[in-house]
Amino acid sequence: MTTATQPAPGGTEQQGLVERHRQLPRFALAGLFAVGAVVGVLASVLTGFNLVLAVIYAVVLGTLSVYVASRSVEGSRKAVDRLVTCVVTTAFAVAMVPLVSLIWTVLGRGLRRLDGEFFNSSMLGVVGEGGGAYHAILGTLIITGLTALISVPIGLLTAIYIVEYGTGRLKKAITFLVDVMTGIPSIVAGLFAFALFAIFFGPGVRLGIMGATALSVLMIPVVVRSSEEVLKLVPNELREAAYALGVPKWRTIVKVVIPTAIAGLATAVTLAIARVIGETAPLLITVGIINGTNLDPIDGRMATLPVFAYYQLTQPGFPPEFAIDRAWTAALILIILVMALNVVARLISRFFAPKTGR
Amino acid sequence: MTTTSAPPEPPRPKRRVGDRIFAGSATGAGILILVVLAGVAAFLVSEAWPAVTAPAGDIPGGDGLTAYIAPLIFGTLLAAVIALVVATPLAVAIALYITYYAPRRLAAGMGYVIDLLAAIPSVVYGFWGIAALAPAMVPFYVWAEEHLSFIPLFAGPASATGRTMLTAGLMLGVMILPIISAISREVFSQAPALHREAALALGATRWEMIKMAVLPYGKSGVIGGAMLGLGRALGETLAIAIVLSASGGITFNLISNSNPSTIAANIALKFPESTGLDVNTLIASGLALFVITLAVNMLARWVVNRRADFSGAN
Amino acid sequence: MAKRIDVSDLDIYYGNFLAVQGVNISIEPRSITALIGPSGCGKSTFLRSLNRMHEVIPGARVEGKVVIDGQDLYGADVDPVDVRRQIGMVFQRPNPFPTMSIYDNVAAGLRLNAKKVKKAELDDLVERSLKGANLWTEVKDRLNRPGSGLSGGQQQRLCIARAIAVEPEVLLMDEPCSALDPISTLAIEDLMTELKERFTIVIVTHNMQQAARVSESTGFFNLAGVGQPGRLVEFNPTEKIFSNPDEKATEDYISGRFG
């Protein structure tokens, strides 16, 4: 705010050692913006009221009046700064609109069926009203659990390989391929699992474990990437301290490196689970959907929450409104699951981080 | 570990059993990733092969594989490009706002909310797209058909349901917005404090400081983030399947009811009911998608890594 | 328990790069030997080669002999892990394990090697080691607090306690005071003079007063020239090095006329 480099075009007044530019007070800026905005709203009312247009006019005119006023009082550099502030803030607000609308819509429509029945009944024999996602929630938990069971050991060991053991060309190749794997579209992962199992069981096969395989292809690289970052954060000095005590390398990793990084690793795994728990496309083509409860991942189709939501929305049957309500509630539960996992990850990293009492 | 390729090779020191087992399993896990990726490529190719070799008349549509996949690729790219054009500037604005404009106390919370939005399952975005976004866009489409139909993009006839290519692209944009802004936010906040303070010490305004010290530093990160978002948009499946009203055919008309589908959405819609050669055809299209996303991702890594050397991070 | 170290014709490589060339030195037991010299001349590299710590950097290797009481450290059947149990090390920056308490940090050498030790014996060992590192009175009431909560100087003494708890024969110290304030430095120096009754100590330091204060013998390392490997220029009793060195280069370095 105080500069002594350039005399402002608006004139300066001497105050002690520091030259002070003439400056608009905060309330004046807010007031100017409000005046512009009111003019904008009036303009839109005169031309036939429309909420979207009114907001656009208001913001544009408000910004303009701030810019013009600032330019005439504070000079062009300051005016550009104010203009950019308005633009950035507006853009932020614009970007928030769809995101808020999304939460609002899902909450509004999903709450209707968020009742006990939804959690303890399946869709077996349900036509029209009632029914629930008991089978789909359990299916999602089972398949996600299996996925984690496959992905976490492989992912962690690979990260340990890259950080602690890897050298030369193999390390480079693996790092590169993990990068490539992060970019595999989820539907392609589904096709892979399908092609793999079709070779052994024929083309019509649908199994829970197929879904877990497909999701693992998506989850492993996420686990590797993030746990690699976490392991790299463990200071080398700690490894050296352990080596200098005559501790073999593998014990150093198990007893020093991993305990030091455990909070970060747990966070990484939790976020990776959150990332795959809502995956729909691969499950659609590998696990399919059923109405009853099947909890055996190596025996036929299973229901999962995202696929359940998808089919309830797109193939609601007649009358459609009941299925559509179920679909929104399933979507809401999915969001709640993802949020819960994120919160858990936060808590883990906050409470289990090594205490540095400095 | 004592030895390299140096000529007088000293004998390798003995290694402990625990070390051997542990190193072996870690290396094994790494190699497994090689195998899996090779498997993905091999199985896709082997399952796609019958469609590649089949006579043109047997492919759905009857004009051969290329004619089947081409509109899908077009649709995939079109939707992804719309998403990218819409999302990138907004994402940069969000990132700038959170890092340099928002009140300190709010900024951390906002960053957290954005991270959460990045984790919302895509199928939920699809729900929102068809329930909220599509109807909200209809008045604009009607207006655009009336006043802008001289531009081929808005040729019409305007969709009455709003399930158009533009809606799909905008929805994809909303989906990748959190991804791009999360990465941009990270690089912006890492812009060296020394440079920023140097700019401010020279009497720069906040915008001048951002222009001088933050944007040049963060450019490669933004590009990389945008590319990752693009990769995500290309592979997005169910949100598109839900929202887009697809009837095939290549067209730049963004506001009508007849649009080209995208590869991923097409697979999701057709796969559950397909058998025989149709499955092979779909897998062949999946292979094409795999190749495209691979290319985009590699390009993104290359851009980020190339710029990393000049970013002044060291 | 302290042992004599004989190094003959030691060359140290990183990959194909020769970092240190032709070191011959005999380190006396129960004494402090200081290594001085400008940055990047291979003092630390040499120190780390004495307990095979440099091998954790991929591509690092040595040629020549390091013999401790007749046993060649680089013999074909010698496990570097065993070497490091005999030769402890203290690093430039204090590095207590952040996940462990003060007690566990001292016991780490045994715990991490899964040695079965009775609780009473372990308590005894921890107390002895902490007393040996002049830290016992300061921490005896908070043994279960995290080690990273101590001050820098206390942390470094904790690291020394950790190193002597495994009862090594030699203690290597790589600029142990460079991250500490003068008072903590003095505490560590006092500790070193006590420890030399039991251990052979080799210390790398940039602080020439420190070398003069604590050591019996001093080795001066220098680069043979730009891009040339580092070498041991002179090795003599500390008094002689600081009053009447044999080499011109040593005198220039010590009197500050170096370079």
Side-chain angles (χ1 to χ4, degrees):
Chain A
M1 302 285 146
T2 56
T3 108
T5 46
Q6 235 182 20
T12 56
E13 43 194 281
Q14 207 70 25
Q15 269 193 359
L17 282 174
V18 184
E19 242 183 302
R20 268 196 99 95
H21 287 264
R22 195 182 288 175
Q23 206 180 336
L24 286 168
R26 280 198 115 160
F27 67 85
L29 286 170
L32 280 165
F33 189 88
V35 169
V38 168
V39 173
V41 171
L42 282 178
S44 81
V45 168
L46 291 179
T47 54
F49 186 75
N50 174 320
L51 184 67
V52 179
L53 283 183
V55 172
I56 293 176
Y57 285 159
V59 170
V60 169
L61 286 178
T63 306
L64 258 172
S65 62
V66 168
Y67 176 73
V68 170
S70 168
R71 196 181 168 93
S72 61
V73 180
E74 298 174 312
S76 69
R77 285 176 57 213
K78 198 77 199 166
V80 170
D81 187 45
R82 299 233 184 264
L83 178 70
V84 174
T85 305
C86 286
V87 168
V88 166
T89 311
T90 308
F92 177 77
V94 166
M96 282 294 124
V97 169
L99 301 175
V100 170
S101 148
L102 175 103
I103 304 283
W104 183 250
T105 315
V106 175
L107 265 182
R109 307 186 75 152
L111 284 175
R112 281 180 217 164
R113 275 301 316 274
L114 200 66
D115 50 29
E117 193 188 359
F118 195 82
F119 288 99
N120 56 33
S121 58
S122 73
M123 288 301 294
L124 200 60
V126 174
V127 178
E129 208 174 347
Y134 167 76
H135 59 317
I137 293 173
L138 282 183
T140 285
L141 293 182
I142 290 171
I143 289 181
T144 312
L146 268 177
T147 309
L149 218 58
I150 300 172
S151 312
V152 172
I154 296 179
L156 276 184
L157 280 170
T158 306
I160 289 174
Y161 171 79
I162 292 177
V163 177
E164 306 285 341
Y165 286 101
T167 45
R169 225 174 283 164
L170 186 61
K171 176 186 172 182
K172 269 195 188 142
I174 291 176
T175 315
F176 174 74
L177 288 177
V178 169
D179 272 352
V180 169
M181 244 175 126
T182 11
I184 293 183
S186 60
I187 189 101
V188 173
L191 289 178
F192 158 69
F194 172 82
L196 176 66
F197 280 79
I199 290 172
F200 299 109
F201 300 97
V205 63
R206 298 282 190 280
L207 297 173
I209 188 77
M210 280 169 76
T213 311
L215 292 186
S216 296
V217 172
L218 299 171
M219 183 167 165
I220 289 173
V222 181
V223 175
V224 177
R225 267 273 151 272
S226 41
S227 34
E228 190 190 332
E229 296 300 321
V230 173
L231 289 177
K232 276 185 188 158
L233 287 180
V234 175
N236 236 341
E237 297 162 0
L238 296 183
R239 297 186 181 93
E240 297 203 326
Y243 295 150
L245 291 172
V247 180
K249 186 165 189 171
W250 73 279
R251 280 192 158 273
T252 304
I253 296 170
V254 174
K255 299 272 179 160
V256 175
V257 177
I258 291 182
T260 309
I262 191 73
L265 292 177
T267 308
V269 167
T270 316
L271 290 179
I273 292 176
R275 169 96 170 65
V276 296
I277 202 167
E279 278 297 346
T280 320
L283 297 179
L284 193 70
I285 61 179
T286 55
V287 185
I289 186 79
I290 51 168
N291 285 334
T293 309
N294 172 19
L295 304 182
D296 186 353
I298 49 171
D299 180 29
R301 293 165 181 265
M302 290 173 76
T304 50
L305 205 49
V307 179
F308 172 81
Y310 173 73
Y311 275 122
Q312 291 292 318
L313 185 82
T314 54
Q315 298 171 14
F318 189 82
E321 60 268 23
F322 301 115
I324 290 176
D325 282 350
R326 284 194 291 268
W328 282 98
T329 305
L332 177 62
I333 294 175
L334 263 184
I335 291 193
I336 293 173
L337 272 178
V338 172
M339 302 273 158
L341 283 168
N342 273 280
V343 170
V344 167
R346 278 263 146 155
L347 293 180
I348 290 176
S349 67
R350 177 159 315 164
F351 289 116
F352 294 87
K355 293 167 187 60
T356 47
R358 276 290 184 88
Chain B
M1 282 298 216
T2 19
T3 63
T4 49
S5 57
E9 188 120 345
R12 269 185 103 75
K14 63 171 188 175
R15 293 179 78 181
R16 275 149 203 280
V17 183
D19 255 341
R20 266 202 303 256
I21 295 174
F22 201 72
S25 51
T27 317
I31 290 173
L32 187 69
I33 288 195
L34 296 180
V35 174
V36 167
L37 210 70
V40 170
F43 288 126
L44 286 183
V45 170
S46 79
E47 289 287 306
W49 195 246
V52 178
T53 51
D58 291 353
I59 302 289
D63 298 320
L65 194 61
T66 321
Y68 180 79
I69 294 183
L72 293 177
I73 292 182
F74 173 80
T76 307
L77 293 177
L78 185 58
V81 167
I82 295 173
L84 200 61
V85 169
V86 174
T88 310
L90 283 179
V92 171
I94 293 183
L96 279 181
Y97 184 79
I98 291 181
T99 40
Y100 294 109
Y101 286 89
R104 273 289 153 77
R105 221 173 285 165
L106 289 181
M110 285 175 179
Y112 182 47
V113 169
I114 299 279
D115 286 349
L116 274 184
L117 290 168
I120 289 183
S122 61
V123 68
V124 178
Y125 278 101
F127 277 37
W128 170 77
I130 195 160
L133 181 63
M137 292 298 289
V138 171
F140 170 74
Y141 294 147
V142 174
W143 178 85
E145 186 195 6
E146 262 177 51
H147 298 97
L148 298 174
S149 56
F150 58 93
I151 306 173
L153 296 179
F154 302 110
S159 162
T161 56
R163 299 174 58 188
T164 68
M165 185 54 93
L166 188 58
T167 306
L170 287 178
M171 181 190 63
L172 277 186
V174 173
M175 291 176 70
I176 64 174
L177 193 59
I179 300 173
I180 305 178
S181 75
I183 294 174
S184 309
R185 186 164 54 91
E186 205 168 310
V187 291
F188 288 160
S189 66
Q190 282 167 357
L194 273 176
H195 295 190
R196 282 188 277 131
E197 282 161 10
L200 290 177
L202 289 172
T205 61
R206 181 157 53 181
W207 166 239
E208 285 164 344
M209 179 272 284
I210 290 172
K211 212 166 54 172
M212 277 158 67
V214 177
L215 291 183
Y217 176 85
K219 199 162 55 180
S220 66
V222 173
I223 294 173
M227 290 298 220
L228 287 185
L230 181 62
R232 190 78 182 273
L234 288 171
E236 184 40 53
T237 311
L238 282 172
I240 299 273
I242 293 172
V243 165
L244 189 64
S245 148
S247 59
I250 295 180
T251 167
F252 276 104
N253 185 353
L254 298 182
I255 61 169
S256 81
N257 256 336
S258 53
N259 303 286
S261 189
T262 72
I263 294 177
N266 185 56
I267 296 173
L269 289 173
K270 303 257 174 74
F271 200 90
E273 281 87 40
S274 294
T275 49
L277 193 62
D278 292 2
V279 172
N280 302 121
T281 312
L282 289 175
I283 292 182
S285 70
L287 192 60
L289 176 65
F290 182 45
V291 173
I292 294 173
T293 47
L294 208 66
V296 168
N297 276 306
M298 284 187 181
L299 193 66
R301 305 270 171 217
W302 182 73
V303 168
V304 173
N305 291 339
R306 189 182 56 118
R307 294 285 315 180
D309 302 338
F310 298 97
S311 64
N314 304 321
Chain C
M1 168 150 81
K3 292 198 173 169
R4 174 190 183 86
I5 309 171
D6 289 296
V7 179
S8 41
D9 296 325
L10 189 74
D11 296 340
I12 309 174
Y13 294 85
Y14 289 113
N16 288 325
F17 171 70
L18 179 59
V20 177
Q21 188 178 30
V23 176
N24 288 290
I25 197 169
S26 281
I27 295 168
E28 294 296 322
R30 293 194 173 77
S31 72
I32 299 180
T33 301
L35 303 177
I36 59 170
S39 301
C41 67
K43 310 178 295 288
S44 292
T45 302
F46 171 70
L47 190 76
R48 289 164 68 93
S49 74
L50 293 183
N51 70 342
R52 300 186 66 168
M53 273 300 288
H54 71 298
E55 287 172 24
V56 299
I57 297 163
R61 65 196 164 86
V62 303
E63 284 165 21
K65 267 193 168 167
V66 180
V67 178
I68 294 199
D69 269 12
Q71 184 202 12
D72 185 0
L73 291 189
Y74 287 91
D77 55 347
V78 175
D79 186 337
V81 171
D82 292 332
V83 171
R84 292 176 202 142
R85 278 180 200 164
Q86 292 176 42
I87 306 179
M89 190 158 192
V90 176
F91 297 85
Q92 186 168 358
R93 288 211 314 203
N95 53 0
F97 297 119
T99 50
M100 299 183 190
S101 66
I102 293 173
Y103 183 97
D104 289 340
N105 259 293
V106 180
L110 277 80
R111 286 261 176 86
L112 291 178
N113 284 312
K115 288 225 178 91
K116 291 272 172 291
V117 190
K118 285 201 194 93
K119 174 81 172 107
E121 278 177 47
L122 202 59
D123 286 349
D124 191 45
L125 174 85
V126 168
E127 183 175 341
R128 242 186 310 134
S129 307
L130 283 172
K131 278 180 176 160
N134 288 344
L135 193 61
W136 176 249
T137 47
E138 288 158 70
V139 300
K140 65 172 188 271
D141 303 324
R142 44 172 172 162
L143 289 176
N144 290 319
R145 307 279 306 147
S148 42
L150 300 173
S151 77
Q154 288 173 325
Q155 284 190 22
Q156 193 62 301
R157 276 179 284 151
L158 178 61
C159 293
I160 293 175
R162 181 176 67 186
I164 61 180
V166 292
E167 293 173 351
E169 280 134 12
V170 178
L171 205 52
L172 307 177
M173 298 182 150
D174 190 354
E175 300 182 39
C177 303
S178 66
L180 303 181
D181 62 273
I183 293 174
S184 307
T185 302
L186 204 63
I188 303 261
E189 286 178 8
D190 288 346
L191 176 58
M192 276 191 264
T193 36
E194 283 172 33
L195 289 175
K196 80 174 178 192
E197 306 299 322
R198 294 158 58 204
F199 304 99
T200 307
I201 297 179
V202 185
I203 172 176
V204 164
T205 179
H206 271 130
N207 181 337
M208 277 178 281
Q209 285 77 30
Q210 184 173 60
R213 279 195 298 266
V214 299
S215 71
E216 274 84 36
S217 322
T218 299
F220 173 57
F221 274 79
N222 200 359
L223 293 176
V226 177
Q228 299 278 311
R231 60 195 173 83
L232 179 65
V233 176
E234 181 172 353
F235 181 60
N236 265 322
T238 302
E239 274 174 42
K240 181 165 168 52
I241 288 257
F242 282 94
S243 57
N244 180 25
D246 291 339
E247 300 285 329
K248 178 86 169 58
T250 315
E251 193 178 348
D252 286 352
Y253 181 72
I254 286 168
S255 58
R257 261 179 285 136
F258 178 73

